[in-house]
């Protein structure tokens, strides 16, 4: 089994030093950069758009890293091509924003990106059942999306376990990503439940330690 990987969320980065901080994470061996896109409609916060993805792109490419874009926006299909052109390798949409989810997933492949789907903490896994065979990534939100620095919702662990069983039952090799409130002290529990990719924002870009030190603390907690 591959060791669980970290996906630092740049939402908590210092945007005046974004390139430097992304590079520090990549230098520390990170292979995935998570980008949180919020529109002020689906979620209360407004964050970033394709311009920032395009700015991160040359740095990520230099390291062969994946740009993982989490779209917390209404009508995401309107922006898929823009984000793909900017450099998104993975485009993840919320089931709550996609009445024609299968069509949206096909549209993501159509723009040359890998499709991911995600759901809010109160949305049941059954909402994903029919789409699982078509996606490359499933993201469990372990907080209500909108802001970094919130606390992990404890019932997420059981949801991760149940999703792992659903993926295994259909022989899916999709990535199982978890996002929200991931810290060194719960990372091992989340990994043991079946996650393959852990998003961490404030625990990597916040606090007094350097990005590299924060990543090292995660690695120690995960035993990798
Ligand atoms: C929130 C975002 C998360 C966020 C996680 O809606 O989807 O990716 O950056 O931040 P932390 O790790 O601080 O909970
Ligand atoms: Zn996210």
């Amino acid at each position: 089994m591959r060791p669980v990987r970290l996906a630092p969320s740049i939402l908590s980065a210092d945007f005046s030093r974004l390139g430097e901080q992304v590079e520090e994470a990549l230098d520390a061996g990170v292979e995935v950069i998570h980008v949180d896109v919020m529109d002020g409609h689906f979620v209360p916060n407004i964050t970033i758009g394709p311009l920032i993805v395009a700015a991160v792109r040359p740095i990520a490419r230099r390291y062969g890293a994946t740009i993982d874009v989490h779209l917390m926006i209404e009508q995401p299909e309107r922006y898929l091509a823009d984000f793909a052109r900017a450099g998104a390798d993975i485009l993840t949409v919320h089931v709550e924003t996609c009445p024609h989810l299968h069509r949206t997933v096909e549209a993501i492949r159509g723009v040359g990106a890998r499709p991911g789907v995600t759901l809010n903490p109160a949305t049941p896994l059954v909402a994903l059942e029919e789409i699982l065979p078509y996606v490359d990534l499933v993201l469990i939100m372990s907080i209500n999306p909108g802001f970094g620095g919130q606390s992990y919702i404890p019932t997420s662990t059981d949801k991760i376990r149940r999703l792992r069983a659903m993926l295994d039952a259909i022989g899916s090799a999709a990535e199982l990503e978890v996002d929200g409130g991931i810290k060194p002290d719960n990372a091992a529990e989340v990994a043991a439940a079946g996650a393959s990719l852990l998003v961490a924002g404030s625990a990597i870009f916040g606090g007094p330690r350097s990005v590299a030190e924060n990543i090292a603390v995660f690695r120690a907690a995960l035993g990798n």
Side-chain angles (χ1 to χ4, degrees), residues 125-194:
L125 283 176
V126 69
L128 291 181
E129 206 174 278
E130 305 300 330
I131 203 68
L132 287 185
Y134 300 95
V135 299
D136 291 356
L137 178 147
V138 186
L139 169 59
I140 293 286
M141 288 307 301
S142 43
I143 54 163
N144 289 293
F147 302 93
Q150 303 181 71
S151 299
Y152 182 83
I153 298 173
T155 46
S156 308
T157 305
D158 185 58
K159 200 175 185 184
I160 296 160
R161 234 178 257 127
R162 285 181 283 124
L163 174 60
R164 170 48 65 204
M166 286 165 76
L167 290 171
D168 290 350
I170 62 163
S172 169
E175 197 88 65
L176 199 171
E177 186 176 33
V178 181
D179 184 3
I182 303 293
K183 309 283 174 202
D185 64 7
N186 61 13
E189 167 190 324
V190 172

Side-chain angles (χ1 to χ4, degrees), residues 7-14 17-18 20-25 33-34 200-211 214-215:
S9 161
I10 62 168
L11 187 61
S12 294
D14 173 353
R17 301 191 300 122
L18 180 62
E20 224 176 280
Q21 293 213 316
V22 168
E23 211 163 323
E24 198 179 340
I33 299 294
H34 186 82
S202 50
I204 287 181
F205 293 109
R209 291 204 191 94
S210 72
V211 170
N214 286 331
I215 290 170

Side-chain angles (χ1 to χ4, degrees), residues 28-205:
V30 154
E31 297 170 357
V32 181
I33 299 294
H34 186 82
V35 180
D36 286 305
V37 177
M38 306 187 190
D39 65 353
H41 292 275
F42 175 60
V43 290
N45 199 5
I46 298 177
T47 58
I48 59 192
L51 272 177
I52 296 288
V53 175
V56 168
R57 175 187 209 158
I59 309 169
R61 292 292 173 265
R62 224 180 322 123
Y63 288 80
T66 298
I67 302 179
D68 168 33
V69 176
H70 177 192
L71 295 174
M72 287 159 275
I73 62 176
E74 287 178 3
Q75 296 184 264
E77 52 288 336
R78 294 196 295 161
Y79 297 100
L80 300 175
D82 288 349
F83 279 102
R85 220 175 292 124
D89 300 297
I90 299 170
L91 283 168
T92 298
V93 294
H94 272 261
V95 297
E96 298 87 356
T97 64
C98 297
H100 306 287
L101 184 57
H102 182 271
R103 181 181 291 155
T104 307
V105 163
E106 297 290 292
I108 293 171
R109 289 210 194 272
V111 297
R114 303 207 292 278
V117 290
T118 183
L119 70 195
N120 287 336
T123 304
L125 283 176
V126 69
L128 291 181
E129 206 174 278
E130 305 300 330
I131 203 68
L132 287 185
Y134 300 95
V135 299
D136 291 356
L137 178 147
V138 186
L139 169 59
I140 293 286
M141 288 307 301
S142 43
I143 54 163
N144 289 293
F147 302 93
Q150 303 181 71
S151 299
Y152 182 83
I153 298 173
T155 46
S156 308
T157 305
D158 185 58
K159 200 175 185 184
I160 296 160
R161 234 178 257 127
R162 285 181 283 124
L163 174 60
R164 170 48 65 204
M166 286 165 76
L167 290 171
D168 290 350
I170 62 163
S172 169
E175 197 88 65
L176 199 171
E177 186 176 33
V178 181
D179 184 3
I182 303 293
K183 309 283 174 202
D185 64 7
N186 61 13
E189 167 190 324
V190 172
S196 61
L197 189 57
L198 305 183
V199 176
S202 50
I204 287 181
F205 293 109

